[in-house]
Amino acid sequence: MTLVDTARPTAKRFDRRSLLPWITTPLLVALLIWLWQAYVRGSHISAFILPSPEAVWSAWLDLLASPRAWEHAATTVYETVIGFAWGLVIGVGLGVLIGRIAWLEKTLNPFIVAIQVVPKVAFVPLFVVWFGFGVTSKVIVSAVLAFFPILTNTVLGVKSVDIGHRDVMTSLNASRFAVFRRLELPSSLPYIITGMEVGIVLALIGAIVGEYLGGNSGLGYLLIARMNAFETDGLFAVMLQMTILGFIFYFGIGLLRRLLIPWHSSAGLEREP
Amino acid sequence: MAVACLKSTDISVARFSEHQTLPPAAREASTATAIALAGVEKWYETNDGPVHALAPVDIAVRSGEMMVLLGPSGCGKTTLLRMIGGLIRPSSGAIEIAGRPLWQNGARQGEAVADLGMVFQDANLFPWLTIEDNITLPLALRKAPRPARRAKARDLMQLVGIAGFEKRWPRELSGGMRQRAAIARALSYDPDILLLDEPFGALDAMTRDAMNLELQRIWGETGKTILLVTHSINEAVFLADRVVLLSPRPGRIDTVIDVGFARPRSLEVQATPEFQQIVVALRRRLTEIA
Ligand SMILES: Nc1ncnc2c1ncn2[C@@H]1O[C@H](COP(=O)(O)OP(=O)(O)O)[C@@H](O)[C@H]1O
Ligand SMILES: [Mg+2]
């Protein structure tokens, strides 16, 4: 069994270099907060412009204690998740078709490029006009924003399926569906998940921007309300809440990456023999 | 003769049997023809016009035989093997696998393809499948139940010498072991014929020698017909019952040489004068045609 030893992965995962960020990141954050605190104290700047870190902290605790604020967060989560799900389903579906069918890609490519260049948030007022001030318009904005990175990554994934792998499936006389299920889908999964990582963050942005413009619910609405009330510390607290939400979504997709593609180096898993 | 039932009209039996000299140690199975090519030709359409990759070729590979296609790079070895494997269509001519036409009415024939197992220069294992699942992928496509696949994988991994690596990812294996897995995958559905395109070309010389011995052993244990492509003269002479030398521009059959050394051959056979005689003759011919 000497062969077993030579094939073992030799890299140790938790060496000094991979531990370093765990120390530097909190230190840098602490340094920034300290600078912020020092600036607020030293410059006597108005609390309407820049509240102190303590004020933001207590406003954030208030937010956590308020059931109404949790409802706002729930609205934003709902819009983001539903919008993202639509963007995912349509993006992957269309992406697979475009990646496989050359004439479809040639036909649609000019439109895709054109729409990518357009700043899509410009459409948000139009969606509000069309779909009202409720959650629907926000879900649609989320879906549209999440859709494009997922689409382009899926197309890329399907098109970069290894020629040699295709040869294997051809030599096995595999059906078109078998090729899709056993080759194209798993092979594009790392690309699709990368698209999802970008897409989920954009979906959140879409929901929030939609809430800025209309309705009376969601963290975006809450943020505008705090702004109008000159509660700058509360505004910071809502921003913090949004940031935390973004992190949770992003790491959720990261978790999905580890679950779905443990074989891929991007999952960062090295199996212990 | 298989030739008689080929559709193509421009075949003469005489031309077809030119290369058919029985090897000294003709085996019992040698009467049947595993692969029959008649007037098989290939033109590639490119942006700079058509490329004549292969002039009409006639070959009959006997059942149970180890035939090696040898030639300088660009002489159409891969083209020929991919046509036999059904991956690309000949521009003209007919291919029969175990007496069945590979193409009919413009469609590749599933039963003919099922007789073929292909191994490429790259192992082409799917990185998202464990070694075990890679090896039994063909069985999964045939909807074989999981316990049967497991059992088959265990046997095959034993056969090709990578037992114990069932649950590993391909990237955890060395190049030689990956190529063993690729051979196991090609054997999983028990095809009668193995087609190998420079399967050990990316391996270092020592691993390569070991793999040649292994291939000879696997061939002996399974009784498959093997058609192997290489540009290594030594590898060709060591492995082959017959070496088919191809010459380039366009690719065509130059010479066919019988290699009669007793089986199983050990690596020492390469040191014998008889072996070196064949190698030297082939090398001389290769420099003339390349
Ligand atoms: N897909 C292709 N399109 C155009 N020309 C090709 C293609 N594949 C091979 N050729 C040409 O056909 C000839 C034979 O190639 P190949 O079969 O790969 O040779 P070998 O395997 O012996 O190196 C070469 O001149 C090569 O450039
Ligand atoms: Mg080649």
Side-chain angles (χ1 to χ4, degrees), chain A residues 90-109:
Chain A
I90 301 173
V92 170
L94 198 61
V96 168
L97 288 180
I98 291 177
R100 284 179 75 145
I101 307 170
W103 63 261
L104 195 64
E105 189 192 10
K106 287 215 180 74
T107 316
L108 292 183
N109 211 29

Side-chain angles (χ1 to χ4, degrees), chain A residues 1 3-4 7 9 162 164-165 167-174 178 182-183 186-187 262-263 269-271 273, chain B residues 82 87 108 110 113 118 120 124-128 137-138 140-141 161 163 165 167-169 171-173 177 185 189:
Chain A
M1 293 302 278
L3 281 172
V4 182
D162 188 90
H165 291 165
D167 281 347
V168 169
M169 291 304 265
T170 313
S171 76
L172 295 172
N173 215 24
R182 307 219 177 239
L183 175 57
S187 174
W263 52 272
L269 296 175
E270 211 66 62
R271 210 199 291 230
Chain B
R82 288 172 70 83
L87 293 175
R108 198 179 45 198
V113 175
M118 289 201 79
F120 305 89
N124 287 333
L125 301 176
F126 292 0
W128 52 90
L137 172 72
L141 291 176
F165 287 80
K167 307 293 180 203
R168 297 306 189 92
W169 300 120
R171 67 187 159 99
E172 296 177 296
L173 267 62
M177 283 155 64
R185 176 177 60 192
Y189 50 103

